[in-house]
Amino acid sequence: MSVGKTLMLAGIVLVGAGVLWLLGARVGLGRLPGDLVIRGERSTFYFPLTTCIVLSVVLSLLAWFVQRVGR
């Protein structure tokens, strides 16, 4: 694959990820119960633990389904 096609594909993937990120924020992903938020005097630490687990399960099921259909 040429460099130009690779860059175009990477751009399309990034745009798709951005759209999914915006849609995910609207349905509540990123602020689920179990996501860790630690607020200090001058800083805030946020780690979306539950969101990571949910996304991992969804992507694993999607990969399994794509692999299953491809056979």
Side-chain angles (χ1 to χ4, degrees), residues 7-38:
L7 287 174
M8 287 176 47
L9 180 62
I12 291 169
V13 168
L14 286 174
V15 168
V19 168
L20 290 175
W21 191 284
L22 291 174
L23 291 175
R26 287 190 177 195
V27 297
L29 283 179
R31 296 291 177 181
L32 295 174
D35 290 347
L36 303 175
V37 179
I38 301 171

Side-chain angles (χ1 to χ4, degrees), residues 27-55:
V27 297
L29 283 179
R31 296 291 177 181
L32 295 174
D35 290 347
L36 303 175
V37 179
I38 301 171
R39 289 179 171 68
E41 288 182 26
R42 298 179 187 211
S43 63
T44 301
F45 175 75
Y46 176 72
F47 185 73
L49 182 64
T50 305
T51 301
C52 289
I53 293 170
V54 169
L55 288 176

